[in-house]
Amino acid sequence: MWPGTWRKVLAGSSPLPSAAVRLAKRLYCPAGKRDTIFALSSGHGKCGVAVIRTSGPASGTALRRLTGQQELPRPRAVTLRRIRDPSSAETLDRGLVIWFPGPYSFTGEDCAELHVHGGPAVVSGVLQALGRLPGLRPADPGEFTKRAFQNGKLGLTEVEGLGDLIHAETEAQRRQALRQMEGELEQLYQLWSDALTKALAHLEAFIDFSEEDNLEEGMLAEVDAAVRRLEEEVRGHLQDGRRGERLRGGVHVVIAGPTNAGKSSLLNLLCQRPAAIVSPVAGTTRDVVESALNIGGYPVVLSDTAGLRETQDPVEREGVSRARERLQRADMVLAVLAAVDLTPEPGCLADALRAVLPPGTPARPAPCILVLNKADLLEEGHRGALLGACGEGALPPACLLSCKTGEGVDSLLGRLGMQLEQLCGDPLAGSPSLTQARHRLHLTSCLASLGGYHSYKALDLVLAAEELRLARRHLGKITGRVSAEEILDIIFRDFCVGK
């Protein structure tokens, strides 16, 4: 689009459709000329207090119009005001108002908050009153946080942490999200980016000015050492067993076993509701039944699967195929066997377990808990013999359980909790874990580019520098900060070139 057309768009005299004009203004207007947005920030539905926010240059005007006061409240102080509809002067509610002048606000712009009673009529009346004011429009989903990012108040990983905190359902998820929102992951990636920027700046200075005598000796060796250190740190960060991603999305625990072992009964017992149909008829479960749980503060996606057996029924055969596919992708397996059908010998138990676990076991098999169900039907001597056999050989940890009486459920939950803690770790311990698939993708690409540096440095330093530039760009895509100016700043700061 030509500059003259842009001037017409911003002046309001463009022949373009109104939707295109609105989009153009949102994308290309400087921050001071942006629309002022408003939205209900608290949850929808009836509640005691509802919070309505505005952000943008007309926030102060909107607050004056709605309160009927010429003076704005003292910044960041809660003030009781009568809130009126500016078009009719009708009182809509009495509530608390807070004024956040930019840049000292969440978005970095002028912001206002209205804390009103949470009845639908009150909230609707205030939102409609705001919508009738010139220069104000309803916010798009996530637009407040997007403006905070655009104005440098939050980095991309902090934005993702905020989103995870809003959606956190367990204590461990909350701890991890809060840590990321407070910037620890951002700081780690920024530290690597700074080290890479410095190494790249030194390498480019060596390429451009190596024929002059005013460069430090051993500069290339320092770059090599910095790149190798960074490689080790990024590689170690990637080899975290997907702890952060598991914690964010939920640990996938698959219940597997032969037909009529009590898999669906176990799902219902752990969910404490009839999530799956239970029947004495073998092969009742044909599809994967999922349920989200909170076990010991860790998020779990629990999947009940079809009984594993050979069958001629095409529908059941598809269910068995899906069960085996789900087993291949499981983070943890609950192998359910009917205790009354087992011979208390380690070899027999191992054979029964091999029939459950998928063929072609992955290089790092998922941890497994052996659940011996229907313990209420066992004689006392058979119980001890079974547990003794489970303690021999290379069998996974086992527990006796009765889905009918609830016996052993506490022991099972305890073992589950320990396994989950090992899989996810403590989100507050050690360095922060990566939490998003896009983090892993860009870090893997960054590591590949660092390896490319070593491949090219003996052949062509310019190509080696390009690999470092690519590695830095991948780190910048994680944090949302990519700038060539930083490299130039370091070149002229660290070296007295042309002095």
Side-chain angles (χ1 to χ4, degrees), residues 73-143:
R74 188 160 51 91
R76 293 170 295 282
V78 180
T79 309
L80 179 64
R81 288 284 188 269
R82 189 177 296 276
I83 298 169
R84 296 180 172 87
D85 185 339
S87 62
S88 64
E90 178 188 359
T91 299
L92 300 173
D93 194 15
R94 291 184 70 218
L96 303 176
V97 300
I98 311 174
W99 167 238
F100 298 95
Y104 305 106
S105 67
F106 172 72
T107 63
E109 304 173 334
D110 288 348
C111 291
E113 286 188 4
L114 306 172
H115 295 229
V116 298
H117 293 97
V122 174
V123 173
S124 175
V126 176
L127 291 176
Q128 289 181 33
L130 285 169
R132 286 192 286 267
L133 294 177
L136 272 75
R137 63 169 176 83
D140 294 331
E143 191 169 1

Side-chain angles (χ1 to χ4, degrees), residues 5 122 160 196 208 217 294 336 369 397 477:
T5 307
V122 174
E160 291 168 332
L196 196 51
D208 292 340
E217 295 183 3
N294 178 350
V336 183
I369 297 176
K477 286 180 179 178

Side-chain angles (χ1 to χ4, degrees), residues 435-477:
T435 61
Q436 304 266 353
R438 75 174 195 90
H439 298 175
R440 187 171 296 278
L441 175 66
H442 288 306
L443 287 173
T444 301
S445 299
C446 173
L447 194 60
S449 295
L450 293 176
Y453 161 81
H454 295 298
S455 301
Y456 284 118
K457 67 179 180 181
L459 302 174
D460 190 332
L461 287 180
V462 174
L463 293 178
E466 182 60 25
E467 291 295 326
L468 293 188
R469 191 174 289 107
L470 288 173
R472 180 175 176 273
R473 188 172 299 138
H474 283 295
L475 283 177
K477 286 180 179 178

